[in-house]
Amino acid sequence: MQEKAVLIANIEREVTEYLDKTPDKGKAVIYYLTEVDEVGNESEPTREVRAIPTDIFPPGAPIDLRIVTIGRKIKILWQPPLDDDIVGYNVWVRRKGSKWIRLNKRPIVKLEYLVSHPLLDGIYGVSCIDSSGNEGEKATIIYRGIELSLIHIS
């Protein structure tokens, strides 16, 4: 059964592009144009164009990243960014000048992560993952050791 067409916009003749913010991500939509003259006569529709909207924009970085020591362990804590479709987080570590290593196997949903064997002078990062699988930039923090001295870096 074919769904009835719904008017989504009246645009001026000179406009050559339009951004539709109404479709659901991953759900196919079909577009076509018609022209209406001054009297109200409508033309035949143009060729239909099918599109499936996808999200290609990564979420923001977590905010308020901090470290709390628990004996010889550390707990990394953070708050989510303002993005509204965060589904999980990745926690990372590296030494200055080296590559990032992800600490978790799967995205975590809690706003904390316990590190059993913290890396002294390690740079820790937390990134957000959205419902489309896009991963954002890392919020980062340096762990200086049990005598805790934190430096936020960007």
Side-chain angles (χ1 to χ4, degrees), residues 5-139:
V6 176
L7 177 66
I8 59 170
N10 287 308
I11 57 176
E12 297 298 321
R13 185 177 181 85
E14 300 79 29
V15 175
T16 59
E17 59 186 57
Y18 176 78
L19 177 61
D20 182 7
K21 296 180 181 180
T22 63
D24 293 329
K25 176 177 55 180
K27 185 177 178 185
V29 291
I30 298 172
Y31 295 98
Y32 65 84
L33 298 172
T34 60
E35 186 174 16
V36 180
D37 65 19
E38 309 81 37
V39 190
N41 299 314
E42 188 170 6
S43 72
E44 291 294 316
T46 60
R47 177 181 60 86
E48 292 181 347
V49 176
R50 183 176 187 264
I52 300 176
T54 57
D55 175 10
I56 59 169
F57 300 103
I63 57 175
D64 195 24
L65 188 62
R66 60 199 183 284
I67 291 177
V68 175
T69 58
I70 305 171
R72 296 204 173 274
K73 300 176 184 179
I74 62 171
K75 185 181 283 190
I76 304 170
L77 303 139
W78 62 89
Q79 292 298 312
L82 296 177
D83 302 65
D84 60 356
D85 76 337
I86 304 296
V87 296
Y89 302 91
N90 282 329
V91 179
W92 304 84
V93 67
R94 71 178 177 96
R95 287 197 188 275
K96 187 174 183 179
S98 66
K99 293 185 178 183
W100 287 104
I101 299 169
R102 191 170 77 192
L103 296 177
N104 54 301
K105 291 181 181 177
R106 293 192 175 100
I108 56 176
V109 295
K110 289 184 175 182
L111 299 175
E112 61 183 48
Y113 186 83
L114 184 66
V115 180
S116 298
H117 304 286
L119 187 61
L120 199 59
D121 289 331
I123 303 169
Y124 288 87
V126 179
S127 59
C128 298
I129 301 166
D130 68 17
S131 61
S132 295
N134 300 309
E135 185 169 9
E137 293 291 319
K138 296 170 189 71

